[in-house]
Amino acid sequence: MKIGFIGGGHVAQVLAKLFIEAGHTVVLTNKHGLERLQPVVERLGSQAQVGNLAEVVRQDLVVLAVPYKALFELDTQLLEGKNVIDATNYFPHRDGDIAELREHRLGTTQLMARHFEGATFVKAFNTIPVADLARLAVAKKTKKVALPLAGDDLPLKQKVAALIREIGFTAYDVGSLADSPKMQSDTPVFLFVGDEKELSKKING
Ligand SMILES: NC(=O)c1ccc[n+]([C@@H]2O[C@H](COP(=O)([O-])OP(=O)(O)OC[C@H]3O[C@@H](n4cnc5c(N)ncnc54)[C@H](OP(=O)(O)O)[C@@H]3O)[C@@H](O)[C@H]2O)c1
């Protein structure tokens, strides 16, 4: 699969490496100059490229890996017809106060699904610190760690669950996008690293 990343920082670089090891190709973009990503893709190898936003969104799957507030800088039609993984988290101190989120009227990914017209969203890879992802992968201790995902579109969710399994982890289906607030940064699941049973307890109480 061809996977594009909006963002070229910590999350994008760790996931890109894991996806490449699983046989996929990646395209990364950033905000402050693509030349700064050149050494990153050189380290990642021939399956990685730097690209502009248009190139990134041409891939089969697009991963959002930027600070949440940066998503509002992007064109609302950028992701039309695209399959998107939202790996972002919302932090009011960093991203600003957003009443709908503060009042729990919407989940952060639901708000993005509304913001970007005609895109299909799955929320995934936002709960685990990427340093842990990388460490567990190197130590080959991924199998017993469950990563949550949520979304409304079953085929996309199956695709993302398969991707989670391909990089060695266990996929845990939290439910629909309406359930995705259960795996946000203000829940016990955030930063949690554990197996399916422990994750289920965190999510369902
Ligand atoms: N770090 C973690 O362990 C972790 C784990 C799960 C989820 N998350 C979430 O994932 C997201 C990314 O985190 P991170 O740690 O990877 O952050 P980061 O290292 O600061 O990287 C952010 C990246 O986003 C790029 N960016 C910012 N605005 C952009 C725009 N308008 N268009 C294109 N690219 C843009 C930045 O480009 P420049 O470099 O050019 O500024 C940078 O490459 C955040 O929402 C975070 O909360 C983080």
Side-chain angles (χ1 to χ4, degrees), residues 6-12 29-33 36 65-68 70 73-74 87-89 91 94 125-131:
I6 301 183
H10 295 97
V11 169
T29 199
N30 68 356
K31 185 173 182 181
H32 297 102
R36 289 173 49 177
V66 296
Y68 191 76
E73 297 166 12
L74 301 171
T88 69
N89 286 303
F91 297 109
R94 179 189 71 186
F125 301 114
N126 66 300
T127 57
I128 186 167
V130 283

Side-chain angles (χ1 to χ4, degrees), residues 72 110-111 166:
F72 294 100
Q110 287 174 297
L111 181 58
E166 282 173 27

Side-chain angles (χ1 to χ4, degrees), residues 127 142-148 169-172 192 194-196 199:
T127 57
T142 51
K143 193 95 179 108
K144 285 195 176 150
V145 176
L147 299 184
F169 292 84
T170 298
Y172 182 93
F192 175 74
D195 68 15
E196 210 172 348
L199 181 64

